[in-house]
Amino acid sequence: MLTVFYLLLILTVGRCSDDLNFDIKTVGVGDDVNLTCTRQKSSGLKATLFWVRLVSGKFPELLGGTFVFDYEGVNKTPHITTKQEPGTFLLQIHETKLSDTGLYYCIKINRLEMTFLNATFLRIKGPEPDITAVIQVPPSDPVRPGDSVTLQCSVLSDSENKTCPGEHSVYWFRAGSDESQPSLIYAHGNSGDECERSPQTHSPQKCVYSFSKKVSSSDAGTYYCAVATCGEILFGNGTKLEIEGNCRTF
Ligand SMILES: *[C@@H]1O[C@H](CO)[C@@H](O)[C@H](O)[C@H]1NC(C)=O
Ligand SMILES: *[C@@H]1O[C@H](CO)[C@@H](O)[C@H](O)[C@H]1NC(C)=O
Ligand SMILES: *[C@@H]1O[C@H](CO)[C@@H](O)[C@H](O)[C@H]1NC(C)=O
Ligand SMILES: *[C@@H]1O[C@H](CO)[C@@H](O)[C@H](O)[C@H]1NC(C)=O
């Protein structure tokens, strides 16, 4: 039965691809999605409707069918449910995953004649970093051993399109003049106090992280600020900290 069904599907997709247009629906990962397929009472009471999906790299998957107008059967997995509701054959996806991206078809089969009632390309959008820039400002004055120096890192984010819940974390790394590996020197807590939201809602949010240190001559090097968000890490361009010698004479 299923083999015949797949064969029909492939034949029909091949034949009708020109006039098959589909909706594109984009949702965020973890969202719930409903796709609906209208079942008209007048057209073929005996027709069977199926929800089928084609996901890249997989065979077509039969998600569920409804066999009569008032069919009460429900196909249910913890993730996907299909059921007949008044006038519509409903496909529900609970907490979408990235792997749910694909083409979803509602098809009607009436005496071996197959019709596409609805085709939706469902795109699941993963979290994208909302950070637009990581800006480091070098200290303005020359630095001598024993001075206290403040390094500043500004993180601009597009708060409008924030798809990653939670704040970002900020780290400072130092790359010394020798060949040694960059070392982590400081990690900011997650207080959110550093951030100012500008009055215009559509302008970016700016968070300023500063880090102060009393320097000795061995602290010279390039300091990088790095922001971790959405499973990615973004680096600033680095600030070169030059420390004047101890035995400087005027
Ligand atoms: C999907 O449909 C069900 C039942 O009709 C409803 O309870 C639920 O709120 C709908 N969900 C979405 C995301 O539209
Ligand atoms: C096809 O699916 C889309 C998205 O769920 C819906 O907006 C549209 O009404 C459906 N069309 C039919 C004929 O069911
Ligand atoms: C960082 O460096 C890159 C390339 O070196 C440059 O295109 C970019 O404008 C710099 N960004 C800042 C904020 O200075
Ligand atoms: C933010 O999202 C809106 C609507 O989704 C889009 O039109 C806009 O281009 C996005 N802005 C950026 C900076 O990505």
Side-chain angles (χ1 to χ4, degrees):
M1 159 66 193
L2 271 189
T3 315
V4 173
F5 174 79
Y6 287 153
L7 198 62
L8 267 174
L9 181 72
I10 289 159
L11 288 176
T12 315
V13 169
R15 189 158 47 86
C16 298
S17 55
D18 285 347
D19 45 24
L20 179 70
N21 43 33
F22 48 85
D23 291 337
I24 298 177
K25 195 176 173 116
T26 305
V27 299
V29 65
D31 289 352
D32 289 346
V33 173
N34 286 352
L35 297 180
T36 57
C37 183
T38 310
R39 166 181 273 248
Q40 263 129 20
K41 201 164 191 170
S42 54
S43 70
L45 276 183
K46 296 232 172 61
T48 306
L49 302 191
F50 292 100
W51 274 109
V52 178
R53 72 169 177 186
L54 265 174
V55 168
S56 164
K58 287 195 189 170
F59 280 112
E61 285 172 81
L62 182 59
L63 303 172
T66 173
F67 301 96
V68 287
F69 184 76
D70 48 5
Y71 184 68
E72 286 185 353
V74 172
N75 286 74
K76 191 169 165 59
T77 68
H79 186 51
I80 291 179
T81 304
T82 63
K83 62 183 175 193
Q84 178 70 52
E85 295 213 325
T88 52
F89 181 41
L90 187 66
L91 168 72
Q92 296 179 303
I93 306 178
H94 179 60
E95 294 180 358
T96 53
K97 304 174 197 151
L98 289 174
S99 59
D100 290 322
T101 292
L103 257 174
Y104 289 72
Y105 299 99
C106 174
I107 56 180
K108 179 173 89 175
I109 297 184
N110 196 4
R111 295 199 196 104
L112 283 186
E113 185 194 324
M114 186 156 83
T115 324
F116 282 87
L117 298 182
N118 203 327
T120 301
F121 185 82
L122 186 66
R123 186 169 88 91
I124 314 294
K125 209 170 74 158
E128 284 163 22
D130 53 351
I131 308 285
T132 51
V134 179
I135 300 163
Q136 287 185 250
V137 185
S140 45
D141 299 324
V143 180
R144 267 163 288 183
D147 285 354
S148 184
V149 66
T150 298
L151 300 177
Q152 221 180 56
C153 177
S154 304
V155 179
L156 303 186
S157 55
D158 183 4
S159 46
E160 184 197 354
N161 291 2
K162 204 172 174 91
T163 47
C164 283
E167 300 302 318
H168 40 250
S169 358
V170 174
Y171 303 90
W172 288 93
F173 293 89
R174 184 179 80 97
S177 46
D178 50 6
E179 300 288 293
S180 64
Q181 293 287 316
S183 50
L184 175 68
I185 49 170
Y186 189 75
H188 286 276
N190 206 346
S191 68
D193 292 349
E194 307 83 355
C195 300
E196 64 185 43
R197 198 172 282 276
S198 97
Q200 299 114 307
T201 42
H202 291 305
S203 61
Q205 188 191 51
K206 183 179 185 182
C207 304
V208 180
Y209 297 86
S210 43
F211 154 69
S212 298
K213 191 181 197 308
K214 203 168 182 182
V215 293
S216 68
S217 51
S218 63
D219 287 323
T222 306
Y223 287 74
Y224 293 95
C225 144
V227 186
T229 184
C230 291
E232 287 193 31
I233 189 154
L234 298 134
F235 281 86
N237 276 8
T239 288
K240 201 162 187 184
L241 187 65
E242 281 175 284
I243 296 170
E244 296 180 356
N246 275 329
C247 45
R248 195 183 158 100
T249 48
F250 289 92

